Amino acid sequence: MLSLKKYLTEGLLQFTILLSLIGVRVDVDTYLTSQLPPLREIILGPSSAYTQTQFHNLRNTLDGYGIHPKSIDLDNYFTARRLLSQVRALDRFQVPTTEVNAWLVHRDPEGSVSGSQPSSGLALESSSGLQDVTGPDNGVRESETEQGFSEDLEDLGAVAPPVSGDLTKEDIDLGAGREIFDYSHRQKEQDVDKELQDGAEQEDPWPGEGAEALARNLLVDGETGESFPAQVPGGEDQTALSLEECLRLLEATCPFGENAEFPADISSVTEAVPSESEPPGLQNNLLSPLLTGTESPFDLEQQWQDLMSIMEMQAMEVNTSTSEILYDAPPGDPLSTNYSLAPNTPINQNVSLHQASLGGCSQDFSLFSPEVESLPVAGSSTLLPLVPSNSTSLNSTFGSTNLAGLFFPPQLNGTANDTAGPELPDPLGGLLDEAMLDEISLMDLAIEEGFNPVQASQLEEEFDSDSGLSLDSSHSPSSLSSSEGSSSSSSSSSSSSSSSSSSTSSSASSSFSEEGAVGYSSDSETLDLEEAEGAVGYQPEYSKFCRMSYQDPAQLSCLPYLEHVGHNHTYNMAPSALDSADLPPPSTLKKGSKEKQADFLDKQMSRDEHRARAMKIPFTNDKIINLPVEEFNELLSKYQLSEAQLSLIRDIRRRGKNKMAAQNCRKRKLDTILNLERDVEDLQRDKARLLREKVEFLRSLRQMKQKVQSLYQEVFGRLRDENGRPYSPSQYALQYAGDGSVLLIPRTLADQQARRQERKPKDRRK
DNA sequence: GTAAGCTGTCATCAG
DNA sequence: GTCTGATGACAGCTT
């Protein structure tokens, strides 16, 4: 039965660790950081608010350690850290909305605005916006110039020509069908998105115009001509700030120094990325052959669960305000509630509109902002709910943010287009969504900067080396000290005198300081001179919660309030049983703290101590308890003791041994819990680190993909048939051969090959 | 007055 | 068989 209980007790803890490892939310931190005193106190000990003074151990506190879980100073420390983090968080949110303004450019119909207005570097939306996007001052422009398309692109009018069967070079380069540029076509998408828009547009500062003009007003600054989103007060600004905050945090987290190259890459992507609204043919020709965008829902869910576990873990250490803003979402939707912005926020609406027309561009257009160019996913994360309304919540959440979706949004969205172009297996198919992973990075950043109770315990570890899962207390410092104390006690014990009348306040104090190590009844027998020789055995140093380092009596003497502290476990002792003769007169109590301590310690005599006195046991309880068996028997043989005395002595020894054993047992139990908690924390930290690394790899992979995509577009765009006309992307596609060569093959053939390659990974998964 | 925590003690088991 | 340590359970005490 006992083994079963032990098994259950330890099993629960181990099960907790396992659950945390497999991603199931088992957040010890939740209980540690939340206001749940029971478990927190089990593990970390009672908070200062709940802490009960160690009345049994006067010297239990302020033993020299800087921060103790029970210390009030620790609370102050946490408070200071929390406030500091909040202040920092406030500073982070003081972000201009420049980038966000650019997000709304795409809503401008016909691109009239972006074409005429000074480019903000983000006028991606308009039909010519793809070219306008890369303003002269933008690194993207440089990349386009390098590709030799910039001039042609700039020549595009603000209003896209109607759709024609023939694709122009610009169309190919843009990577989007002309339908995208058709206002009527995009107007439909806007209508859909308008449903998502709430009072943001209703609060349009330029009312009175038509819906179209309204949209323009939302996008164009009347003074500067710069495209910008409607400045709606209230939560919209907050959302915008939260978006930028997210971007900045991600930027800080991003380990890549890719800023220099990214704009160029992005420009390529902008050209290449197709839109959902594109006709299949146009879309296909722009689809990277490397990307399939097929991602099984199972993997997504699995990854989502992983993220849930880790993000929840980290979220608890993140500034609350930050998390609230980052994941501000209306209740009810589990996904959106936790990991996406509110769909009805203006930014989302705008972005959604943008994405509806140029989904691919929207994924990364945030990169055009110098401040956030290294943080593309952050922007994409905000696009989670922005996928066209015909997408499911889950699909929109994942699809729009998925890297594969960046190139192949249709396949991940409800508007998936079966006529996707030449595709290669998406190497990211089984990987986590980048948006979410970046959020992980964000959270990791917070967790790294933050401070949590576990870290506090780790601080303690620096002072308390008694760690590890080992239950062998004999290896602990305390045990060492105990053994040392025991040996010294046995060797130095001289049985100097009876403890009855020799106990004075000074002697008690001296013994108090000399012993240091604490053993059985050390708190109650210090009155005896011979007991001052060294209480031995167990050193009740509850490493984490109940440190009982009494080596510094000065500290105790400096803590007069401790005089009134103390359990009285002399349960069965009548007041008269206490040796009043040992007690100094009340008047002497005022002479000094030492005397007071002595008086207090007199009262702390244990029951067995009083019994021993009553039975006139000629040696101390310390000896009775701590002497080795041989010495103990030898000691007994030296005296003529009655049977009652012998029985009492044996009882004292037994109880004393058991008392120390119980203390050791409890100490081990607490240490075990602490170590398990520490292990869980370490494992969670490792998990978070691995996920961060995964995010980094994904970023790197995406960069490579973008480069490949850019090259693909460039090569394909330069191809000419025998008549000097460019090949239609709907009819031809480039295929990478195994030997590194690139072949121009019919689209149908490329599609077939792509499907074959797409099936292979699926089969492998099965 | 009650709940919770701490400590001592007992009983029991195992080495 | 004895001793010792470990541990669950309980009681007493204090806050």
Side-chain angles (χ1 to χ4, degrees), chain A residues 466-519:
Chain A
D466 183 14
S467 61
L469 288 170
S470 173
L471 296 177
D472 188 359
S473 62
S474 61
H475 301 296
S476 64
S478 61
S479 298
L480 289 174
S481 61
S482 299
S483 61
E484 292 175 354
S486 178
S487 60
S488 63
S489 172
S490 60
S491 61
S492 62
S493 60
S494 59
S495 63
S496 59
S497 65
S498 173
S499 61
S500 60
S501 61
S502 61
S503 64
T504 61
S505 57
S506 60
S507 63
S509 176
S510 61
S511 67
F512 195 77
S513 61
E514 292 173 356
E515 292 183 64
V518 181

Side-chain angles (χ1 to χ4, degrees), chain A residues 56-57 473 478 482 518-523 536-543 546 548 550 655-671:
Chain A
H56 293 280
N57 307 285
S473 62
S478 61
S482 299
V518 181
Y520 168 74
S521 67
S522 61
D523 57 343
V536 287
Y538 170 69
Q539 180 180 2
E541 182 184 53
Y542 281 24
S543 60
C546 311
M548 303 177 190
Y550 310 137
R655 283 191 290 264
K657 293 280 189 184
N658 185 254
K659 179 181 177 180
M660 291 188 293
Q663 291 171 341
N664 280 327
C665 179
R666 286 161 181 154
K667 175 181 179 296
R668 277 191 300 272
K669 195 181 296 182
L670 294 175
D671 288 343

